[in-house]
Amino acid sequence: MIQELMNKNNCNEIHLQYDKESGCTFILALNTQYGEKGNGGTRMINYSSVEEGIEDATKLVNVMTKKCVIIGKRYNGCYSGGKGVIVGNPAIQKNPEMLRKFGRFVQTLNGRFQTGTDMNINLNDIEYMAEESEFIDGLETGLGDTAIPTAFGILLAMKELCAWKYGNNSLNGKVIAVQGVGSVGKDLVRRLVEEGAKVIATDINPEILQAVKEEFNVKTVAPEEIYAIKCDIFSPNACGRVLTKDNINKLNCKMVIGAANNPLANELQSVLEMKKKGIIYVPDYVINIGGVFLSMCEVQGKTLEYVLEKLEEIISMRIKQIIAESEIEEKTLFEAAERIVFQEMTGS
């Protein structure tokens, strides 16, 4: 099973370590075939099994490798996809010593894997990791939180797609449903409000949702209600695999543009189900590259200004390229992106 997952998801290395004291299992998965080393954040989730954690890690290596291809050899610092996964309950098993041990595990790869924040691993957590590894990025002493450029990239994509569909890139008055207001979603809400968009937000954490509602004066709904909200753009910014057949049937939007990794429950089939409803799906790995790009640039000694400037250049260029490919081939944006990535990854 594991070999099949690796082969399917462009993952050629998996490293495992069990931490007896915390009861957590550490997983480092990477692709060292497209690039020389892997890059990707670390998440901590209470998976039902280590095998489920490995499956998630390999799928994320695939999407992270695609992000590296989208960024391109000119800017990606010779990186390929990677992902760190901690199998454990963050509410009761996450502690400084466990995080330090994870950092030591990262260090054993001697720079062949670079990592930072992701789900349930925040800026404070990676500070502990960084005590034991020089290959932790996104620190406050570096270029800062990876959520900032990630949200910026999603905003850029929304404006680029509006320019394509409506003839101008204004988000003023557009109704945008934001699913998930963690680090990325919250910053995206801030940017959307500044653009004059009408935001409707949700999150599984009621306290976080209430705080965002109060800070930005936006409308909020229960998590199960967000799919059916009538809007211009539905923006998933939390967990993956949320675009199931049932949830797609509920959608009442024109476009899906978000930062969540692997939001499709059934890859192309999910995209085609949205197409039947007249919904445009923008591939996640084309537009949520901001975080990993910041990580690459931090290692190369670049500035945040450089990150945001080049991010705007890359995302604009790639979206235009994918739109052009989709129109020529009469395919979805997803199919066009998959074809471009395959060609650039394999050189064929």
Side-chain angles (χ1 to χ4, degrees), residues 161-263:
L161 267 293
C162 283
W164 176 47
K165 294 307 295 179
Y166 306 121
N168 68 78
N169 68 356
S170 175
L171 296 176
N172 186 40
K174 294 288 189 296
V175 179
I176 301 177
V178 178
Q179 181 190 47
V181 289
S183 297
V184 175
K186 179 181 177 180
D187 194 62
L188 179 61
V189 168
R190 176 183 67 81
R191 294 174 185 277
L192 290 171
V193 169
E194 289 175 355
E195 294 282 336
K198 297 178 181 178
V199 175
I200 301 169
T202 197
D203 197 280
I204 60 172
N205 187 319
E207 293 179 1
I208 291 176
L209 184 60
Q210 183 63 27
V212 167
K213 178 180 182 178
E214 292 176 2
E215 182 173 354
F216 301 109
N217 192 30
V218 297
K219 181 180 177 181
T220 59
V221 296
E224 63 273 13
E225 296 175 18
I226 196 70
Y227 297 101
I229 292 294
K230 185 176 181 180
C231 57
D232 295 287
I233 300 172
F234 173 73
S235 184
N237 296 284
C239 297
R241 298 180 65 80
V242 296
L243 293 172
T244 62
K245 187 171 184 177
D246 286 345
N247 287 337
I248 289 170
N249 285 336
K250 297 175 188 175
L251 288 178
N252 191 8
C253 62
K254 297 170 184 174
M255 293 185 278
V256 174
I257 307 172
N261 284 318
N262 294 329

Side-chain angles (χ1 to χ4, degrees), residues 21-191:
E21 284 69 29
S22 69
C24 296
T25 298
F26 304 151
I27 304 168
L28 304 181
L30 55 155
N31 173 307
T32 54
Q33 296 171 313
Y34 170 72
E36 300 170 358
K37 48 200 174 181
N39 192 314
T42 291
R43 58 176 52 187
M44 183 174 185
I45 295 178
N46 193 24
Y47 298 97
S48 62
S49 64
V50 172
E51 288 77 14
E52 186 183 357
I54 290 173
E55 181 177 6
D56 197 23
T58 58
K59 289 180 178 178
L60 288 162
V61 166
N62 193 25
V63 74
M64 295 305 294
T65 300
K66 290 177 180 179
K67 292 184 191 185
C68 292
V69 176
I70 289 294
I71 292 167
K73 296 282 190 180
R74 181 179 177 186
Y75 296 121
N76 68 22
C78 297
Y79 279 108
S80 190
K83 206 69 187 175
V85 166
I86 300 173
V87 180
N89 187 337
I92 59 176
Q93 290 175 279
K94 187 169 71 170
N95 61 68
E97 186 52 33
M98 182 274 287
L99 294 165
R100 291 188 187 101
K101 287 179 181 177
F102 182 82
R104 289 199 287 273
F105 187 39
V106 171
Q107 188 68 19
T108 64
L109 268 66
N110 296 313
R112 295 177 55 250
F113 176 63
Q114 187 91 19
T115 193
T117 59
D118 197 4
M119 291 178 63
N120 298 317
I121 296 295
N122 58 38
L123 288 172
N124 291 331
D125 298 330
I126 63 173
E127 291 288 347
Y128 294 116
M129 295 179 186
E131 290 178 17
E132 302 292 339
S133 176
E134 60 188 297
F135 304 109
I136 308 298
D137 52 48
L139 299 164
E140 288 187 319
T141 53
L143 294 182
D145 194 347
T146 56
I148 305 303
T150 303
F152 179 62
I154 301 306
L155 182 78
L156 292 173
M158 289 180 178
K159 297 181 79 168
E160 196 73 45
L161 267 293
C162 283
W164 176 47
K165 294 307 295 179
Y166 306 121
N168 68 78
N169 68 356
S170 175
L171 296 176
N172 186 40
K174 294 288 189 296
V175 179
I176 301 177
V178 178
Q179 181 190 47
V181 289
S183 297
V184 175
K186 179 181 177 180
D187 194 62
L188 179 61
V189 168
R190 176 183 67 81
R191 294 174 185 277

